[in-house]
Amino acid sequence: MKIGSRTVKTAIGTPIAITIAQFVGVTNFVSAGILTILCIQPSRKRSVLSAWHRFLACTLAIIFSFVFFETIGYNPIVVGLMLAFFIPATVLLKITPGIATSSVIILQLYGAGHISFRFILEEFLLILVGVGTGLLLNLYMPSLDNKLKKQQMKLEQNFQVILKEIALYIRDNNILWDGKEITETEKILHEANDLVDRDRENHMLRNKHSYHDYFQMRTKQFELLQRMLPLVSRLSNTDSLSEKIASFFEGLSDAVHPGNTAVLFLDELDELYKTFKQEPLPTSTEEFETRANLFRLLHEIEDYLILKKKFKTSDVSTDRKHKKTGTKQSS
């Protein structure tokens, strides 16, 4: 069983928060650990927002508790009545992530039976220790660059297989492929985009993320590959152009990598279009359908290559270099 960084942070931060709260003399020092647990987030951006939301919500909770408990009384019904007003207030102020944290403070104030100025100061100190410990621990976030690189490699391997299988089917109607790379690619793209979002949130001052552009480009290319498969499946026979197009797909399969060689293949595609125009017209309905599907297939692969041509190849490699040297990526 793999232990994640959030688990490690929780295991380290909880006793630290309790120890600090106990050292400074907070009465309900155990609650500092609860606040820290609630504040551990998967990214720096979420951590900062979470800390701010929870601090505001706890401050609001103290104000509401003082007004309701001291004016109406310390009664379970009053707790429910106060929550009926407090929760909509947090929604209005857009600090709902702090509801769980502030509930700890509310119940402590209710359990005290009396709210003194000293007790309020202790609660603020408790909030600062619990939320602050969680925030400080979340300043460290492990690099996701290696994970993103692995996803990139898996994705490109699957693209190579898909393009190779398209070539085999065009050449001799090979139907032995089980298509598992299609399902795998969908999963990889979903996981990679989630990782990119997390990594972007860990670099709050960086506006762009090269892997974001890369995986967005691959997502669009994958959609085109999915549109090609039905066209390929309709190729009931082969003609003189089939072998050339199959060879083109094979060459494209071997060239799937982060670098940008799309211009070379677009030039080769132009030659295929010229060959298409020079071929004699089909003499049967079946030949016409085959030729039409091949022509549509060339249009789809052209769009595929144009997407790669527009992608700035240097971004991913430059981004990795900046991460290794510790400098900031400007684009």
Side-chain angles (χ1 to χ4, degrees):
M1 183 181 294
K2 187 177 180 180
I3 299 176
S5 60
R6 290 181 68 185
T7 303
V8 174
K9 290 177 186 178
T10 302
I12 295 174
T14 303
I16 289 176
I18 293 173
T19 302
I20 294 173
Q22 190 173 10
F23 178 77
V24 297
V26 176
T27 305
N28 299 302
F29 54 83
V30 175
S31 298
I34 299 174
L35 296 180
T36 298
I37 292 171
L38 294 172
C39 286
I40 299 296
Q41 298 295 317
S43 71
R44 289 194 186 101
K45 183 178 180 180
R46 293 187 208 179
S47 177
V48 172
L49 287 174
S50 174
W52 177 242
H53 290 158
R54 293 175 196 283
F55 179 78
L56 290 180
C58 288
T59 303
L60 189 65
I62 291 172
I63 296 170
F64 268 72
S65 297
F66 182 82
V67 171
F68 276 81
F69 295 151
E70 289 294 316
T71 58
I72 302 176
Y74 291 81
N75 188 288
I77 296 176
V78 178
V79 175
L81 181 64
M82 191 198 74
L83 290 175
F85 286 91
F86 173 71
I87 293 175
T90 60
V91 174
L92 182 65
L93 296 173
K94 298 180 180 179
I95 54 174
T96 51
I99 291 176
T101 310
S102 56
S103 298
V104 176
I105 304 299
I106 290 170
L107 294 176
Q108 283 186 1
L109 293 170
Y110 171 76
H114 174 67
I115 301 176
S116 63
F117 180 72
R118 177 181 172 81
F119 195 68
I120 290 175
L121 286 178
E122 278 196 13
E123 292 303 300
F124 270 113
L125 190 56
L126 186 69
I127 294 166
L128 290 174
V129 171
V131 175
T133 301
L135 181 60
L136 287 173
L137 284 169
N138 270 343
L139 291 179
Y140 167 75
M141 288 291 170
S143 174
L144 299 176
D145 194 49
N146 288 334
K147 290 183 179 179
L148 287 167
K149 178 60 181 174
K150 287 179 181 178
Q151 295 291 63
Q152 181 188 40
M153 292 175 64
K154 288 182 190 175
L155 185 65
E156 290 174 355
Q157 288 170 2
N158 280 4
F159 268 48
Q160 289 176 341
V161 172
I162 293 170
L163 289 167
K164 186 78 73 177
E165 291 297 334
I166 288 175
L168 290 172
Y169 193 90
I170 293 173
R171 181 172 287 121
D172 54 17
N173 286 347
N174 185 299
I175 56 174
L176 299 178
W177 181 43
D178 59 8
K180 66 181 179 66
E181 284 78 13
I182 298 293
T183 306
E184 286 180 2
T185 300
E186 290 178 340
K187 183 179 178 182
I188 291 169
L189 286 170
H190 178 73
E191 291 176 352
N193 283 312
D194 284 345
L195 285 173
V196 167
D197 288 340
R198 280 175 54 194
D199 203 40
R200 291 176 74 181
E201 289 179 352
N202 286 336
H203 300 83
M204 295 180 288
L205 299 179
R206 188 172 64 188
N207 295 324
K208 291 187 178 181
H209 193 293
S210 58
Y211 274 111
H212 172 266
D213 297 335
Y214 173 81
F215 284 112
Q216 286 297 308
M217 179 267 295
R218 289 301 189 194
T219 299
K220 292 176 182 177
Q221 284 189 319
F222 179 61
E223 291 172 358
L224 289 169
L225 288 176
Q226 288 179 304
R227 281 161 50 179
M228 293 179 206
L229 294 176
L231 294 175
V232 175
S233 66
R234 296 190 197 113
L235 299 175
S236 55
N237 63 352
T238 59
D239 61 10
S240 56
L241 288 167
S242 298
E243 177 58 34
K244 294 180 181 179
I245 295 175
S247 298
F248 178 79
F249 271 89
E250 279 184 340
L252 193 57
S253 170
D254 295 333
V256 176
H257 55 73
N260 204 332
T261 55
V263 175
L264 299 176
F265 283 97
L266 283 169
D267 291 340
E268 189 176 339
L269 192 63
D270 285 337
E271 294 299 319
L272 279 175
Y273 276 125
K274 291 177 184 177
T275 304
F276 239 98
K277 293 177 181 179
Q278 295 169 358
E279 287 291 312
L281 293 174
T283 57
S284 67
T285 303
E286 190 175 16
E287 288 179 1
F288 179 81
E289 289 176 352
T290 298
R291 190 73 59 84
N293 285 324
L294 286 173
F295 192 72
R296 287 179 61 192
L297 190 61
L298 289 184
H299 275 293
E300 297 291 357
I301 202 63
E302 182 180 20
D303 291 339
Y304 172 98
L305 291 168
I306 289 172
L307 283 170
K308 188 63 187 292
K309 180 183 176 182
K310 291 179 179 178
F311 174 68
K312 293 181 180 179
T313 336
S314 60
D315 284 353
V316 174
S317 57
T318 303
D319 191 50
R320 291 192 210 118
K321 181 181 177 182
H322 281 303
K323 286 184 177 181
K324 288 180 180 178
T325 58
T327 55
K328 186 170 69 175
Q329 168 76 342
S330 60
S331 61

